[in-house]
Amino acid sequence: MSDRLPPLTALRAFDAAARHMSFAQAAAELNVTPAALSFQIKSLEEHLGVPLFRRLNRAVELTEAGRTLAPGAAEGFQTLSAAWMATKRLQDNSSLTVTAGPALTAKWLAPRLYDFARAHPEIDLRFSATLRNMDLARDDVDVALRFGYGEDDGLYSVPVRKEWLTPVMSPELAKQFTTAESLTQAPLIFDDSIDFLQPPCDWPTWFRAAGIDYTPLHGTHFSNADHAINAAVAGMGVALGRRPMIISDLQEGRLVAPFKLAIESQARFRFLCLPGAEKRPQIAAFRDWFLAEIEKTAHISDGFTIIPVEEIAAL
């Protein structure tokens, strides 16, 4: 048995057959005849010196050697494909793919993207709204906007302003609940998407910051921040709104934040891309626009007493 690697075409044929467990389906994927695919696998088995498949009457199954080879072959082709796509993206200055959470996309990015698109008509902008932390080296994504504490080793990372949270409600509901103490009688909305924050940035923490000893036991819970805010806009109750999620609704009068007391999370958004990719024209343009848009709304903090959550936790 030779230590030399077999031809890539033979390994590709094996990978496809192992994934489909069908020579016919693998041949169709690779756009070759079943006979050609079978020949490639046979040559791979001869190179290895042992069979990789058991040929059954109407099916195939992996041998022990095949089961050993299959995961490494699959991972190898996935890595090669990702590297190839990443290399191709380096040559592409006309498109930009950004991933961000659904809430940030809906409540902050979407209302503002028209300005970026108008300023950069040469860029074909694509968004992937997902909570999954996509791999910038392997997935077909150029920029990630991620929220949390972040360990961004190996990435170009630009942290932005820390987030704060404050009670928000519809103008109609604000007429009923005019003091912080009155919120103990209000229907409260919970954003469960930030339950991971430590120290917690939740209703008990805000009430403690306001000097009120109250732990709400009931309310409406949402798993997405934008759903919680939309419920507040609809008048369902009072939400503890995160700054970027409430800016547009505050500016356009759909929500009000009457108490001017906010708790500041230790978490923040970061602008992320692969090292060196920040120099690509479309990524640099989007980064500069993103940071400038954040600064445009910095004034929304004016008039608020913003208390770092770690100080509240120490009380």
Side-chain angles (χ1 to χ4, degrees), residues 182-201:
S182 69
L183 291 186
T184 61
Q185 305 301 314
L188 299 182
I189 295 171
F190 293 80
D191 172 14
D192 292 343
S193 71
I194 56 172
D195 284 351
F196 71 94
L197 294 177
Q198 292 295 330
C201 293

Side-chain angles (χ1 to χ4, degrees), residues 99 130-136 139 144-147 270:
T99 180
T130 177
L131 293 176
R132 181 171 72 90
N133 279 346
M134 301 183 76
D135 188 333
L136 295 176
D139 296 319
L145 305 176
R146 292 180 183 161
F147 175 71
R270 293 102 60 216

Side-chain angles (χ1 to χ4, degrees), residues 53-118:
F53 290 95
R54 291 187 183 91
R55 278 74 167 173
L56 307 176
N57 187 25
R58 291 181 175 272
V60 294
E61 66 179 22
L62 291 168
T63 64
E64 182 180 4
R67 291 193 299 271
T68 301
L69 179 60
E75 183 179 355
F77 280 109
Q78 290 170 5
T79 300
L80 182 60
S81 177
W84 177 253
M85 294 302 298
T87 304
K88 286 183 66 177
R89 287 203 306 270
L90 292 177
Q91 318 307 317
D92 179 11
N93 292 326
S94 63
S95 65
L96 177 66
T97 301
V98 179
T99 180
L104 183 71
T105 302
K107 302 300 290 184
W108 194 90
L109 282 167
R112 293 168 169 77
L113 283 176
Y114 174 74
D115 289 339
F116 179 82
R118 184 175 58 178

Side-chain angles (χ1 to χ4, degrees), residues 83-254:
W84 177 253
M85 294 302 298
T87 304
K88 286 183 66 177
R89 287 203 306 270
L90 292 177
Q91 318 307 317
D92 179 11
N93 292 326
S94 63
S95 65
L96 177 66
T97 301
V98 179
T99 180
L104 183 71
T105 302
K107 302 300 290 184
W108 194 90
L109 282 167
R112 293 168 169 77
L113 283 176
Y114 174 74
D115 289 339
F116 179 82
R118 184 175 58 178
H120 298 280
E122 76 283 4
I123 298 177
D124 183 14
L125 187 61
R126 301 182 180 91
F127 266 87
S128 175
T130 177
L131 293 176
R132 181 171 72 90
N133 279 346
M134 301 183 76
D135 188 333
L136 295 176
R138 299 174 67 96
D139 296 319
D140 190 16
V141 172
D142 300 299
V143 169
L145 305 176
R146 292 180 183 161
F147 175 71
Y149 303 104
E151 294 181 3
D152 303 324
D153 294 342
L155 295 175
Y156 172 85
S157 176
V158 181
V160 300
R161 291 173 176 267
K162 288 184 179 179
E163 284 206 354
W164 50 256
L165 304 88
T166 195
V168 292
M169 64 194 85
S170 67
E172 294 74 22
L173 206 59
K175 296 174 184 177
Q176 301 178 40
F177 302 101
T178 57
T179 66
E181 289 79 6
S182 69
L183 291 186
T184 61
Q185 305 301 314
L188 299 182
I189 295 171
F190 293 80
D191 172 14
D192 292 343
S193 71
I194 56 172
D195 284 351
F196 71 94
L197 294 177
Q198 292 295 330
C201 293
D202 53 12
W203 275 116
T205 303
W206 187 86
F207 279 116
R208 193 157 62 250
I212 301 169
D213 183 15
Y214 179 64
T215 299
L217 300 177
H218 304 288
T220 304
H221 291 252
F222 290 91
S223 60
N224 289 346
D226 54 324
H227 296 172
I229 299 305
N230 288 343
V233 170
M236 181 181 291
V238 185
L240 196 56
R242 294 161 54 191
R243 188 181 73 89
M245 309 304 171
I246 61 177
I247 288 174
S248 294
D249 290 315
L250 288 177
Q251 290 177 326
E252 297 177 19
R254 292 185 292 268

